Amino acid sequence: MKEIRKIVEIGRIISNKELSADVNSLLLDCPKIASLAQPGQFVMIKNEMGSTYLRRPFGVADVNQESNSLLLIYRRAGKGTQELARLNAGADISVEGPLGNGFSFKDDGRTLLIGGGVGIAPLIYTARHFAEKMPDYKPVILLGVRNHKELFWSSFIEKYSERLVFTTDDGSYGRKGFAIDAIPDILREYPDIKHIKVCGPTIMMKGIAELAAKEGVECEVSLEKRMACGIGACLGCTFAGKSGRRWKVCTDGPVFDGVEVFG
Ligand SMILES: Cc1cc2nc3c(=O)[nH]c(=O)nc-3n(C[C@H](O)[C@H](O)[C@H](O)COP(=O)(O)OP(=O)(O)OC[C@H]3O[C@@H](n4cnc5c(N)ncnc54)[C@H](O)[C@@H]3O)c2cc1C
Ligand code: FES
């Protein structure tokens, strides 16, 4: 069995800011985990002052190894995240990680990063990593959001992109419709795209993985399942892949080959 090198560290809140009606950014002083985390990995956090018992999983949105900080971007979905949003700078939370296997990196072609909703969060670190490794060959980034009130993502990610495309459900900014609708035009414009990496709602990832398979472009998807332990012990996050193999999202993923998940 693979050894899981996880750390539990107290993260001191540097800032906990509202970015929109239901999304916050949380910047933590968390040096050990910040120094180890790779793009696409996640952490499990626990607010010791809160009332929820289980840790909650969040993708690593970015790290800064000079300032020892770890950035998470979270949607205030339920009790745990609403309680988290009430914490101020200086408060401590328990952070466990970095966990799971993140996105693979290949330099044989351009990468298209696609995010939907709060699934955009782990793509920030991924985009920065790709842009730093291949400065002349930055990723094209496609973000699907509900409306123009979610354009705050651009301030985190635009600088790492060759081109940033937004789709909005209501057409209030960018192209009206879903992210998948924009892909054929992007692939025509950038024939050097060889890899797609996507994080967002399951229905969105399924459609994109199927389209990528048809177009002959390699596709990785980052899955979200309810997680209790995050370290492969409770079996709460398993699913059967198309190969017949059973996978644990927390330790085998959260990033998987799109064909193995969606066929
Ligand atoms: C690998 C991974 C990475 C994630 N990254 C992010 C991220 O970067 N930003 C972000 O906003 N959210 C992320 N999530 C989802 C996030 O974990 C849940 O929104 C959060 O746990 C909700 O906690 P809550 O107490 O506020 O809500 P609850 O009241 O517990 O539930 C509210 C909603 O959140 C879902 N949820 C609750 N607990 C979990 C859980 N343990 N795992 C998955 N879904 C859950 C429920 O299905 C429900 O729809 C990620 C989930 C996983 C598995
Ligand atoms: S969350 Fe417990 S095995 Fe994955």
Side-chain angles (χ1 to χ4, degrees):
M1 195 178 147
K2 195 174 103 181
E3 189 203 346
I4 298 169
R5 198 170 159 230
K6 61 153 189 172
I7 288 170
V8 179
E9 186 177 27
I10 295 299
R12 176 146 298 174
I13 297 179
I14 300 167
S15 66
N16 189 8
K17 288 186 204 154
E18 265 186 31
L19 299 174
S20 73
D22 62 351
V23 178
N24 270 45
S25 67
L26 179 70
L27 190 64
L28 296 169
D29 181 22
C30 203
K32 288 191 196 134
I33 292 173
S35 71
L36 292 171
Q38 297 298 312
Q41 286 192 297
F42 68 99
V43 294
M44 299 280 284
I45 68 169
K46 184 156 169 56
N47 166 14
E48 303 288 4
M49 307 297 286
S51 61
T52 54
Y53 173 69
L54 292 173
R55 288 177 179 274
R56 299 291 195 249
F58 296 95
V60 172
D62 207 353
V63 294
N64 184 326
Q65 278 139 7
E66 275 153 34
S67 62
N68 294 329
S69 60
L70 173 72
L71 176 70
L72 307 180
I73 298 187
Y74 65 95
R75 190 166 71 84
R76 302 189 292 282
K79 202 173 185 186
T81 45
Q82 278 155 15
E83 288 178 353
L84 182 63
R86 285 186 218 119
L87 297 180
N88 294 318
D92 289 337
I93 57 173
S94 170
V95 187
E96 182 178 18
L99 298 167
N101 294 302
F103 291 109
S104 66
F105 171 79
K106 289 190 188 147
D107 61 3
D108 60 343
R110 198 184 294 279
T111 294
L112 170 60
L113 298 177
I114 309 175
V118 84
I120 296 165
L123 299 187
I124 298 168
Y125 184 15
T126 310
R128 179 168 68 78
H129 182 77
F130 279 44
E132 283 171 2
K133 289 233 173 200
M134 295 199 289
D136 299 328
Y137 220 40
K138 289 183 188 167
V140 173
I141 300 176
L142 168 60
L143 305 182
V145 295
R146 283 173 295 192
N147 56 48
H148 65 286
K149 293 181 183 154
E150 295 176 23
L151 298 181
F152 61 82
W153 291 106
S154 130
S155 66
F156 291 96
I157 208 165
E158 186 171 25
K159 50 190 172 281
Y160 309 126
S161 70
E162 168 68 23
R163 166 121 180 265
L164 175 61
V165 178
F166 270 100
T167 62
T168 49
D169 298 352
D170 66 357
S172 55
Y173 185 82
R175 182 179 173 138
K176 184 174 192 304
F178 298 124
I180 191 168
D181 304 330
I183 296 175
D185 284 349
I186 292 175
L187 293 182
R188 254 192 306 277
E189 203 178 325
Y190 293 92
D192 53 0
I193 289 175
K194 298 278 182 291
H195 309 282
I196 292 179
K197 310 211 182 278
V198 47
C199 185
T202 306
I203 180 104
M204 168 193 179
M205 294 197 288
K206 181 173 189 299
I208 292 173
E210 287 166 355
L211 177 64
K214 259 192 233 142
E215 298 282 344
V217 180
E218 214 178 72
C219 178
E220 283 182 338
V221 297
S222 180
L223 299 188
E224 245 194 46
K225 284 259 179 187
R226 264 192 108 94
M227 289 183 182
C229 73
I231 54 164
C234 72
L235 304 185
C237 67
T238 59
F239 73 98
K242 295 293 167 189
S243 65
R245 187 171 161 188
R246 280 207 82 78
W247 300 97
K248 293 176 191 168
V249 174
C250 64
T251 48
D252 297 317
V255 174
F256 292 91
D257 175 34
V259 174
E260 175 61 2
V261 180
F262 297 114

